[in-house]
Amino acid sequence: MNIVILAAGTGKRMRSALPKVLHPLAGRPLLSHVLEVARTLNPTRLVVVVGHGADQVQKAVGAPDVQFAVQEQQLGTGHAVLQALPLLDPTVSTLILYGDVPLTRASTLKRLADTAGQRYGVLTVTLDDPTGYGRIVRDAMGRVQRIVEQKDANADQQKITEINTGIVITPTSQLREWLASLKNDNVQGEFYLTDVVERALEAGVDVVTSQPDEEWETLGVNSKQQLAELERIHQGNVAEALLVAGVTLLDPARIDVRGTLTCGRDVSIDVNCVFEGAVTLADNVTIGPNCVIRDASIGAGTRVDAFTHIEGGTTGANVVLGPYARLRPGAVLGDEAHVGNFVEVKNAVLGRGSKANHLSYIGDSDVGARVNIGAGTITCNYDGANKLRTVIEDDVFVGSDTQLVAPVRVARGTTIAAGTTVWKDIVEENQLVMNEKTQISKSGYVRPVKKKA
Ligand code: UD1
Ligand code: CA
C-alpha cells in the first residue's frame, strides 16, 4: 500500500515556533511516531505532506524511504492528499494518516486495510462526546452514506456518536478523479477529504468501517494540554508493557522512557527515573529513585543508587553506582567496580573490582583491576588544548586528593600518598610515591578578628 501522512497544518494552538508535528512525544517528534508505525506496514510509497515549517520538518524526519509533497496553502485535507498523488503507486491502495496522531497501533491499521481490501475503509470510533468530529452518516441498512463535518452537520446529524477518526484507506486509481471533483462549498471553505466517501459510492466502490482496539489510538495533538495527555497515555503503555515483561516498577505512573528500555529478568526500577536513547538493563539490576539513564548498558546484578546520572556508558556485572554518580560517554566499568557519590567518569575504563567511592573525576583514563581511588582524586586530562590519557595499572592505591597530570602512567602496585601531584610516569612497580612537602607548625598563633565598622 501507499501511505500518506498529512502534516501541513499550523498547529496554532500549540503557541510555538516549532511546527506542530515536530513537538516531542517520548523524546521524539510526533511525526516520527507516525512514520515508525507506517514503516511496520512496509509501504510501497511513504509520502509526507508538508506545509507550515516544511523545511524544518523535512530536515527533522528526512530519510531515504520518505518522499515529501509540499502543500503551499492549507486548503483542506482533500487538497492535501491531492498534493501527494503524483508520488503514489496507482495500483495499490492508499492509507492516509496524520502527523499529529502519534499513537495508532499497527494492528489497528492492518485491520482497517484487511477489512477494506479493494474497498474504501474508514477508521471510526463511537464517542460519548463526539463534538468537533466528522460524523458517520449511515442509511437504514447501516451502510455508510457520507461523513458530515461538525460545522456542517444539522441537529440530527450532530447527535450521531460514531465519528471519523480521519484515518482512511482508499483505492488509488480513481482517487485523482475523486479529489479533483471536490468542492469547497462548505462552512469552512475547505476541500474535505471526507467528501470522497460520496464520490466512492457514486463510482460503485463500497465504503466500510473498522474500529481501533483503543480509543486513544486516534487522539490527535492540537494543544500542549493534549500533548501532555498523550505523553501520559504513551508512558502508561510503556510501563504496562514493562510490568507484563516482569519488570518491577515501584510506581508505574512515575517512569518515563524516551527511547527503548530493554530489561532482563528481575529488574527493579524505583520512582522518577528517566530512560533516554537505547538502555539495556541485564538480569537483577536495581535502579534507585530519581536516576536519569541514557544510552547505557548495565550489567547483571548492578545496583544503581539514587540520583545517578548516566549519559552513555557500560557496566559489567555486580557494579555499584551512586548515589549521585555520573557516567559520561565512553565510561566502561568492569565487574564489581564501585563508583560512588559525586564521582564523574568520562571516556575511561575502570577494571574489575576497582573503586572510586567519593568526589573524583576520572577522565580519559585506563584504570586496571582492584585499583582504589581515594576521595578527591582528579585526573588532569586537559592542557587547555588537548585531552590526554592517564593510565593506572592493576592494584594501585591512589591516596585522597591526588592529582594525576596527564599524560601519565602509574605502574602496578604503586601506592600514592594522600595529596600527591603525579606529573611524571611511575615506571617501577610497588613503590610508595609522594611529593616533598614540609608540615610547618607555628606556636602562639593569633587568628584575625573581624574589624568593627
Ligand atoms: C478532520 C476530518 C474529520 C475528523 C477529524 C479527526 C476532514 C474534512 N475532517 O477534521 O472528519 O473527525 O479530522 O481528527 O478531513 N491538514 C493538512 N492540510 C490541510 C488541512 C489539514 O495537512 O490543508 C492536516 C492537518 O495538519 C491535520 C490534519 O490534516 O494534521 C487534520 O486537519 P484538520 O483541519 O485538523 O481537520 P479536522 O477539522 O480536525
Ligand atoms: Ca484536527
Side-chain angles (χ1 to χ4, degrees), residues 417-438:
T420 302
T421 302
V422 179
W423 70 88
K424 287 186 290 195
D425 284 358
I426 299 164
V427 180
E428 192 189 317
E429 296 181 2
N430 301 315
Q431 298 181 103
L432 171 66
V433 176
M434 66 189 84
N435 297 144
E436 246 183 305
K437 287 185 193 175
T438 40

Side-chain angles (χ1 to χ4, degrees), residues 15 73 92 103 113 193 212 226 240-241 282 328 346 351 367 376 393:
R15 298 180 187 280
Q73 275 184 296
V92 294
L103 300 183
L193 178 62
Q226 288 170 332
E240 183 69 24
R328 290 171 54 203
K346 184 217 75 172
V367 179
E393 295 181 356

